Amino acid sequence: MDKNIGIYICTGCGIGDMLDCDPIAEMASDEYSVSICKNHPFLCGAEGVDLIKKDIEGEGVNTIIIAACSPRVNYDVFDFGQDKIIERVNFREHVAWSQAEKDENTQMLAEDYIKMACAKIGRTDLPEPFKAEEEYSKDILVVGGGVAGMTAALETAKAGYNAILVEKDPKLGGFLAKMKKNVTLPYKDISDTGAEAMIKAVSDNPKIKVYTSAAVEKISGGPGIFSVEIKANGNSATERAGAIVQATGWVPYDANKLGHLGYGKFKNVITNVEMEEMAAAGKITRPSDGKDVKNVLFIQCAGSRDPEHLPYCSSSCCLVSMKQATYVKEQNPEAVNYILYKDIRTVGQSEDFYRKAQMDGNVFIRGSVEEVGESGGNLYVSANDELLGEKIKIEELDLVVLAVGMVPRSLPAEIPKIKAPSDSKEADADGMIEVKPDSGFFATSALNLAYRQGPELPTLKYGFPDSHFICFPYETRRTGIYSAGCIRRPMEVGKAKDDATGAAMKAIQCIEATSIGMAVHPRAGDISYPEFNMSRCTQCKRCTEECPFGAINEDEKGNPLPSPTRCRRCGTCMGACPERIISFKNYSVGMIGDMLKAVSVPEEDEEKPRVIVFVCENDAYPAVDMAGIKKMNWSPYVRFVPVRCLGSIALVWVADALARGIDGLLFMGCRHGDDYQCHFVKGSELANTRLSKVSETLDRLSLESDRVKFIEVGITDCDKVPAIISEFMETIESVGPNPYKGW
Amino acid sequence: MAGNYDPSFAKEVFDNVDSGEEIKMCMQCGICAGSCPLRHEMDYPPRQIFTLIRAGRRDEVMNSKAIKLCTSCYRCKVRCPRGIPVIDVMHGLAHYGIKKGIIPRKGTAAFGGEFWKMIYNIGRIDEKTLPLKYNLLEGLVPGIKSTIEMAPMGIQMFLHHRMKLLPERKIKGIKELRKMLDKAKEMGKGGAN
Ligand code: SF4
Ligand code: SF4
Ligand code: SF4
Ligand code: SF4
């Protein structure tokens, strides 16, 4: 494409008061021979936009640099079609609102940003959306036929798409169909489960194809082009799907590990699952002698929230015990239920059911169990009553119900770890042991993905294949595969339905975006994708290993085989590749390299240091914007370079920048670790690792390691941004100017 | 020895004490205890009274200082997230204790009686005569002694226009007020005897 560049500087929003815009325009036409360079006092107004449109039509401008507000706003106003290259320069938040008025340094900053933009568009091509050779499928595969899976299939059908439902049991319904009653919205009382009606709705729906007694043998391809091999009742079938919802549910924590609570020792100590099944079968009786029950004690958090068992809360067992207490009272109004709890966790509106359980006269005792024992054929429980501040003993119990938690029915790539019992010999340095496959953590395959990075969804530390649960619910670390229901996190029926609906919607979004070559979250709408210049590939496998989404497979020789529909466009592969053969049409190592070269580096005696701040576009960039909106100030010597993800940074940028006399480089990215906020999961962590190796480069150049720093910045950290910058500027001042200036 | 849970006292409270059944809804958050200006004087804060009832500790509850100390400031009732009329229960328990003869008509219980009588008679409180009457319940000599001890406070109240020298007069509409008080008593709320 022949680029015909037009630069448009807005002087509104205070920009014109802070900057002398005419010299900037002159500089651009001199140095970059840009013929069209205009100012306008209100560029985002109709007249301003018209000005640009006229030049597009009259002068054939097709590459437009807009120096105005942040690219995070007015993107719709400054949208001139996919056939134009648009580059936004943030004169408002990053210059006018955060720098000194009509200052020499402010002016230099603005000029640098224009130069960087010119350098950037020099290396930008128009991206063309990816189109797979195969035809795209718009059907959704749902794995798991419990409440979440059935809801996902029904919602998919309701939205006009076809669903393929794979259930391992001969019958649909999952645990919902095994329950006697349910507690769900509006949480005032117990209600019918509705399982049979739901199963019928699924079975009767012409848009839902159901496989029972079935398992997924293999999934290959990617979003839009998944090929799914299913084995059902001994027969094989192949289906095509555009996206996948995994709703494989949960299994109860293995109560055999709860001998200290009397399980396995006394017949009348049962789990909440056994209690439910007994209630559903007709009558709640004492398993030991089949006699009626009068006094029942529920032990909450049985093995849950216990570092040696299930370290987390299953969020539904409190509600379940109250429901089962209701069964007991319905059966015998004179019966007494004791609920021994750590905390009652009836989240959200389900608090109403807690009120009901209280009104019914159930006895809630806050404390911890000391002993479960038997005397005279009845059970007793000794406990520490925290509210009474005493030890108590409750006798004459007919039944003790252990409220055990939920374990995801997943196959975690890394075996979860729990706190080792004090007598354990296998404990590691942190006092943790790996859970054994039989210890209640369930290990089962569901998807069998033919992905280089493993057959199942990567999970969080306890086996839940979630991504970041607040920022991106239902997202997993495999594009186009969404998790819903208790596989994502423990939850009750009402929440599982919401979850499944959400996941189905995400799956539809994915199918539609993929079919027009667009990326999904968090770069929704992006049509660029990484291209590999394979002739120079050395089969080092870094890209295939580091891609956070498993988008790159490998052939036998170790050559990367990218699957663009699985790609989220983070650029991590681009940063990882030592040969620099991976690039996007509008984002590449060379492009950022040219931007860095465009930054003017004053002579040492001018005492104007230069610092490059690489900011992650997802969190750090908005944080800087917000600091600007709050009119906070920071050093005029820093130049921000937005990157898709810190995972995309190439070490060569560090070397190039320092060799040119840039005094320091700061990297602002998302938090990583267990509670990561990185939108691309591993990007900021990988960047951190990569940067830890930068010292070699610095040593080679005999430069101080303080010149390069990584810092975690969340989107809410806007107030801290100026301080982070000043602190780094102080460091740079103390290490002194880069000796390579002027070389 | 480990104490036992005995639901029978809770049932007694639910059935006999004003608003007694509402304490089923208590979730032991302790906001009432944190709000009560008298918590430092109480042996058990309101929250714990409810735990004791639940556990069946009849003696501890009925003999507690707490249920007699409540000054009806209403802070607990206003703040309880479960909407429990904590104050009504506290008074209900005290009345139940008096009725059952567990709580003697002394101290606050006696003061309450005098208070009620005076409101019933004149429709308002006479700051001079109420303490006098209450003090005299202890007998003539100790009564006069206690009253003399309170004289400096009386003088201050007088100087700040909080007390009149002349006796308080009956309010207008005393008859209507008495009707209301009778109704309240009928409903089991308050009453001098
Ligand atoms: S829901 Fe209740 S019983 Fe279950 S783990 Fe959480 S707090 Fe414990
Ligand atoms: S690393 Fe990022 S850009 Fe590269 S293939 Fe994977 S998802 Fe796509
Ligand atoms: S404030 Fe209400 S719910 Fe909380 S402890 Fe007191 S009475 Fe119970
Ligand atoms: S009304 Fe009584 S119990 Fe409640 S806060 Fe006031 S003094 Fe305490």
Side-chain angles (χ1 to χ4, degrees):
Chain A
M1 158 181 176
D2 276 341
K3 288 172 194 150
N4 189 358
I5 305 170
I7 299 183
Y8 301 88
I9 303 175
C10 180
T11 54
C13 283
I15 299 170
D17 303 334
M18 309 301 280
L19 287 173
D20 256 340
C21 293
D22 296 335
I24 297 174
E26 270 167 41
M27 180 277 298
S29 40
D30 289 357
E31 287 187 31
Y32 294 89
S33 45
V34 178
S35 50
I36 299 175
C37 195
K38 296 181 177 169
N39 295 351
H40 193 273
F42 183 24
L43 198 59
C44 61
E47 204 186 273
V49 175
D50 254 8
L51 174 82
I52 302 175
K53 278 193 183 147
K54 276 209 191 88
D55 285 351
I56 292 174
E57 278 153 31
E59 312 284 332
V61 169
N62 58 8
T63 303
I64 304 154
I65 295 179
I66 294 170
C69 41
S70 165
R72 292 170 39 81
V73 295
N74 281 335
Y75 40 82
D76 48 344
V77 177
F78 297 128
D79 179 3
F80 300 103
Q82 283 200 354
D83 58 340
K84 311 283 178 310
I85 294 173
I86 315 268
E87 178 57 24
R88 301 277 300 271
V89 180
N90 194 340
F91 264 15
R92 194 176 71 177
E93 282 83 346
H94 291 191
V95 183
W97 285 358
S98 50
Q99 300 298 332
E101 186 178 334
K102 301 255 164 162
D103 187 87
E104 180 196 15
N105 288 323
T106 310
Q107 201 69 22
M108 288 171 101
L109 175 66
E111 281 183 15
D112 267 3
Y113 277 143
I114 292 288
K115 288 182 193 166
M116 288 157 78
C118 290
K120 185 173 178 186
I121 52 161
R123 288 280 206 133
T124 304
D125 285 321
L126 273 182
E128 278 167 42
F130 175 79
K131 178 87 192 71
E133 280 164 24
E134 299 153 70
E135 204 193 319
Y136 286 121
S137 162
K138 291 199 171 180
D139 297 350
I140 293 175
L141 170 74
V142 180
V143 185
V147 61
M150 290 193 295
T151 309
L154 287 169
E155 292 294 335
T156 299
K158 231 195 268 175
Y161 294 79
N162 295 320
I164 305 147
L165 183 58
V166 177
E167 164 57 40
K168 65 175 189 341
D169 287 344
K171 189 177 169 247
L172 289 175
F175 195 71
L176 186 73
K178 299 201 178 92
M179 289 173 8
K180 177 183 164 81
K181 294 273 177 162
N182 183 23
V183 186
T184 189
L185 283 162
Y187 302 103
K188 301 285 184 207
D189 209 339
I190 55 177
S191 56
D192 286 336
T193 61
E196 289 311 318
M198 211 169 171
I199 294 169
K200 190 168 174 335
V202 170
S203 313
D204 292 352
N205 195 313
K207 287 189 153 307
I208 305 175
K209 187 166 177 185
V210 179
Y211 288 96
T212 48
S213 301
V216 171
E217 298 265 279
K218 185 180 170 196
I219 296 178
S220 52
I225 49 171
F226 284 117
S227 169
V228 186
E229 287 171 28
I230 299 165
K231 191 142 215 173
N233 288 312
N235 304 321
S236 298
T238 305
E239 294 279 357
R240 295 188 72 239
I244 299 170
V245 174
Q246 182 178 352
T248 46
W250 59 284
V251 288
Y253 183 68
D254 183 4
N256 290 313
K257 306 275 155 198
L258 303 175
H260 61 291
L261 299 177
Y263 191 84
K265 230 190 275 174
F266 309 116
K267 278 203 175 134
N268 293 345
V269 177
I270 61 173
T271 67
N272 47 2
V273 172
E274 290 160 344
M275 177 76 161
E276 193 67 37
E277 283 165 350
M278 175 155 71
K283 195 172 176 203
I284 299 167
T285 53
R286 293 162 49 113
S288 63
D289 50 17
K291 287 199 188 131
D292 285 353
V293 296
K294 201 173 166 292
N295 296 323
V296 182
L297 186 136
F298 293 85
I299 297 178
Q300 296 310 105
C301 306
S304 290
R305 304 171 62 201
D306 178 340
E308 289 184 15
H309 294 279
L310 276 192
Y312 53 85
C313 166
S314 282
S315 89
S316 56
C317 11
C318 281
L319 211 50
V320 169
S321 291
M322 292 177 201
K323 174 180 77 171
Q324 295 176 345
T326 312
Y327 299 161
V328 173
K329 286 253 181 199
E330 275 184 356
Q331 200 173 293
N332 174 7
E334 294 303 306
V336 184
N337 294 303
Y338 299 93
I339 297 177
L340 183 59
Y341 68 95
K342 274 189 206 167
D343 299 285
I344 291 292
R345 291 188 171 170
T346 42
V347 282
Q349 272 172 282
S350 66
E351 180 87 358
D352 275 358
F353 195 73
Y354 176 23
R355 287 178 228 253
K356 178 203 147 45
Q358 286 182 302
M359 221 44 220
D360 286 350
N362 296 309
V363 186
F364 287 84
I365 304 170
R366 183 185 172 133
S368 49
V369 181
E370 296 257 289
E371 190 200 346
V372 178
E374 200 173 42
S375 88
N378 291 329
L379 294 168
Y380 67 84
V381 172
S382 313
N384 250 326
D385 187 324
E386 277 175 26
L387 296 169
L388 218 48
E390 287 175 22
K391 290 208 189 316
I392 54 161
K393 187 172 179 188
I394 297 168
E395 292 170 303
E396 306 284 313
L397 294 169
D398 299 304
L399 207 54
V400 168
V401 182
L402 305 183
V404 297
M406 291 174 165
V407 180
R409 201 189 280 275
S410 67
L411 181 66
E414 259 177 57
I415 303 169
K417 283 185 172 181
I418 52 172
K419 188 165 171 264
S422 49
D423 55 358
S424 165
K425 292 185 187 67
E426 295 147 57
D428 67 10
D430 303 325
M432 308 290 275
I433 44 165
E434 287 190 343
V435 295
K436 306 258 159 40
D438 71 339
S439 70
F441 278 89
F442 210 77
T444 182
S445 63
L447 301 178
N448 291 308
L449 300 167
Y451 280 27
R452 188 237 183 245
Q453 291 188 8
E456 298 297 325
L457 296 178
T459 63
L460 297 180
K461 64 180 171 187
Y462 299 122
F464 294 96
D466 200 356
S467 189
H468 189 280
F469 75 105
I470 293 175
C471 298
F472 353 108
Y474 325 116
E475 289 289 347
T476 69
R477 296 181 222 174
R478 293 291 174 261
T479 311
I481 307 180
Y482 301 91
S483 60
C486 294
I487 186 76
R488 190 165 80 81
R489 61 174 176 78
M491 60 182 78
E492 43 89 16
V493 171
K495 299 255 160 44
K497 286 185 182 168
D498 283 358
D499 227 49
T501 310
M505 295 306 123
K506 293 294 285 185
I508 292 170
Q509 263 181 7
C510 170
I511 286 173
E512 291 300 339
T514 305
S515 70
I516 46 171
M518 280 185 177
V520 294
H521 175 91
R523 292 189 63 81
D526 186 0
I527 53 168
S528 70
Y529 62 93
E531 289 166 84
F532 292 63
N533 180 357
M534 286 307 294
S535 59
R536 286 198 349 252
C537 173
T538 59
Q539 290 88 24
C540 73
K541 301 186 184 174
R542 289 200 199 153
C543 56
T544 56
E545 268 163 24
E546 292 196 5
C547 170
F549 300 100
I552 315 174
N553 273 15
E554 238 162 51
D555 68 11
E556 328 64 75
K557 295 208 192 76
N559 287 309
L561 296 173
S563 300
T565 67
R566 289 187 211 159
C567 171
R568 304 253 186 122
R569 284 74 167 172
C570 60
T572 298
C573 49
M574 175 184 115
C577 179
E579 296 297 314
R580 288 172 245 162
I581 64 165
I582 307 173
S583 53
F584 298 76
K585 285 269 185 321
N586 53 7
Y587 188 59
S588 61
V589 175
M591 184 185 94
I592 304 275
D594 281 1
M595 286 171 76
L596 298 176
K597 282 186 202 125
V599 174
S600 59
V601 182
E603 293 295 330
E604 189 183 327
D605 53 10
E606 286 182 52
E607 295 190 354
K608 291 185 193 301
R610 284 291 178 262
V611 163
I612 302 290
V613 185
F614 289 94
V615 281
C616 155
E617 280 175 13
N618 301 295
D619 266 20
Y621 193 95
V624 174
D625 266 9
M626 276 188 276
I629 290 167
K630 292 185 172 186
K631 310 251 161 125
M632 299 173 99
N633 295 302
W634 56 80
S635 164
Y637 303 135
V638 301
R639 308 297 179 246
F640 292 109
V641 177
V643 290
R644 294 183 169 201
C645 170
L646 279 197
S648 66
I649 55 160
L651 286 186
V652 62
W653 297 342
V654 178
D656 282 0
L658 291 173
R660 279 198 66 239
I662 298 285
D663 298 278
L665 298 114
L666 187 59
F667 293 82
M668 289 187 183
C670 303
R671 187 165 67 213
H672 51 80
D674 277 348
D675 55 348
Y676 68 86
Q677 282 183 346
C678 176
H679 290 54
F680 295 105
V681 186
K682 283 194 310 191
S684 74
E685 189 170 342
L686 289 166
N688 199 26
T689 321
R690 246 175 249 162
L691 286 174
S692 65
K693 293 179 192 133
V694 88
S695 53
E696 286 165 32
T697 312
L698 293 169
D699 285 349
R700 186 156 43 80
L701 298 169
S702 325
L703 286 172
E704 302 78 1
S705 62
D706 288 352
R707 291 191 191 275
V708 178
K709 189 172 175 191
F710 177 97
I711 194 132
E712 291 180 351
V713 175
I715 197 159
T716 49
D717 287 340
C718 57
D719 290 339
K720 297 184 198 144
V721 164
I724 292 170
I725 293 174
S726 333
E727 206 178 295
F728 188 65
M729 292 312 291
E730 277 166 31
T731 314
I732 292 304
E733 211 168 294
S734 69
V735 291
N738 182 338
Y740 289 91
K741 274 185 208 292
W743 277 39
Chain B
M1 199 204 76
N4 239 321
Y5 260 64
D6 171 8
S8 63
F9 177 53
K11 189 143 193 326
E12 182 183 340
V13 171
F14 298 163
D15 293 346
N16 297 297
V17 171
D18 178 25
S19 305
E21 217 179 350
E22 306 225 22
I23 66 171
K24 280 180 180 175
M25 298 305 289
C26 171
M27 58 177 181
Q28 295 287 306
C29 65
I31 288 178
C32 52
S35 310
C36 180
L38 280 168
R39 64 186 176 279
H40 304 300
E41 300 295 321
M42 288 178 172
D43 40 4
Y44 305 110
R47 175 195 68 72
Q48 209 170 356
I49 291 284
F50 302 160
T51 307
L52 291 165
I53 293 172
R54 197 174 281 174
R57 304 292 160 80
R58 192 172 196 272
D59 293 348
E60 274 113 308
V61 173
M62 298 316 295
N63 294 321
S64 73
K65 227 159 96 185
I67 61 174
K68 293 178 266 183
L69 275 179
C70 168
T71 61
S72 318
C73 73
Y74 274 82
R75 279 162 72 160
C76 52
K77 178 168 171 172
V78 165
R79 288 185 179 171
C80 172
R82 280 301 176 81
I84 298 168
V86 184
I87 157 170
D88 299 11
V89 183
M90 296 292 275
H91 287 300
L93 286 165
H95 285 146
Y96 184 61
I98 293 169
K99 211 163 93 187
K100 285 260 148 185
I102 307 169
I103 300 178
R105 273 228 169 264
K106 272 185 13 197
T108 43
F111 185 83
E114 291 304 323
F115 190 98
W116 180 274
K117 268 192 223 157
M118 184 168 281
I119 293 285
Y120 200 84
N121 280 336
I122 61 171
R124 64 168 112 223
I125 292 301
D126 189 326
E127 302 283 7
K128 303 176 293 297
T129 32
L130 182 64
L132 186 66
K133 283 192 173 170
Y134 169 65
N135 288 341
L136 286 176
L137 290 175
E138 299 171 29
L140 193 60
V141 179
I144 289 173
K145 215 176 133 210
S146 307
T147 310
I148 289 171
E149 273 168 22
M150 288 175 80
M153 180 157 75
I155 291 166
Q156 283 300 321
M157 285 178 76
F158 177 71
L159 290 175
H160 288 88
H161 307 284
R162 289 280 179 265
M163 195 167 86
K164 283 196 278 185
L165 272 185
L166 296 172
E168 295 283 357
R169 273 180 300 178
K170 251 185 216 146
I171 60 160
K172 275 189 225 154
I174 182 75
K175 286 208 185 96
E176 284 75 10
L177 180 71
R178 284 186 191 154
K179 263 189 222 158
M180 284 158 68
L181 292 172
D182 287 337
K183 177 80 185 169
K185 198 165 167 186
E186 210 180 287
M187 289 165 65
K189 309 244 176 196
N193 26 55

